[in-house]
Amino acid sequence: MSTVREARRRRLIAARRRRRSVWLHRLVAAAAVAVTIAVLTAGPQRMAGNTAALLALLSGIPQHGNTLGQPTAPVTVTEYGDLTCPIGREFARGSEAQLISDVVASGRAKLVYRGFETTSATANAGEYAASQIAARAAGLQDRAWYYILLFYDRQRAETTRYVTDGFMRGIAAAVPGLNLAKWRAARRDAALAAAVIADGRAASAAGVTGTPAIFVSGRRGTFQFSDPNTAVPTLPQLRSLITRVS
């Protein structure tokens, strides 16, 4: 009888250890996500080149072209953006980063980036198309979202003419696994230039007037985020739209 009791005691101890191990693993994972979000949402002085945090945010999430997330995800969140837009940067470093870690990583939604010129016209109008083509060129190697988020991270004042070929090459050099020779060649691809033009036309047809403009699509339809008090949706607002279309 004592042998039976001893075996039962050992099984209980083993079960407790397994539960503790699972709990610790979840705690560490949650902490890692929280640290990544905290770094991404830090002030400009603390945000200089947070490449490691961006890589951690996107790690393990599939990419294809300008889409981030599982191709079979039931909901599509589309961002129309201008990479020089400071509000777009605020979105990328805040609720969009939270959306990626909380919703896109789990497969509940995928995220699509499309271009629409707004702030580039202030000082970088000549490079708007080039900046968008550069992101799509990275997308040919399934690296577009690394490029997009790194561009937002390294963004400067919208009144400054900084979007040069050297600036864009510097971002490309920071993208993990990107073949730079193929990326440079792809930037001359007429199909990518046509895709950028198509993005702008689609945005105009949808009534977009500013960036970022967020649309959420699912089996129950498509809805654009709209709030008279802010241009940047919070994660709860995004979740509400996702629920609405699911």
Side-chain angles (χ1 to χ4, degrees), residues 86-101:
I87 303 175
R89 185 190 195 208
E90 180 186 346
F91 176 55
R93 295 163 63 185
S95 51
E96 185 170 50
Q98 295 169 339
L99 179 74
I100 291 169
S101 65

Side-chain angles (χ1 to χ4, degrees), residues 157-173:
E158 64 183 278
T159 55
T160 304
R161 189 174 181 81
Y162 67 91
V163 185
T164 63
D165 185 65
F167 177 82
M168 290 182 281
R169 282 189 284 107
I171 294 174

Side-chain angles (χ1 to χ4, degrees), residues 66 113-114 131-141 144 192 195-196 199:
N66 58 333
Y113 178 87
R114 304 187 71 178
S131 67
Q132 296 292 324
I133 291 170
R136 283 189 171 271
L140 292 181
Q141 300 181 47
L192 298 187
V196 172
D199 282 352

Side-chain angles (χ1 to χ4, degrees), residues 89-127:
R89 185 190 195 208
E90 180 186 346
F91 176 55
R93 295 163 63 185
S95 51
E96 185 170 50
Q98 295 169 339
L99 179 74
I100 291 169
S101 65
D102 180 70
V103 179
V104 176
S106 69
R108 284 178 285 166
K110 56 182 176 285
L111 190 54
V112 175
Y113 178 87
R114 304 187 71 178
F116 182 68
E117 185 175 12
T118 54
T119 52
S120 284
T122 303
N124 293 283
E127 297 300 329

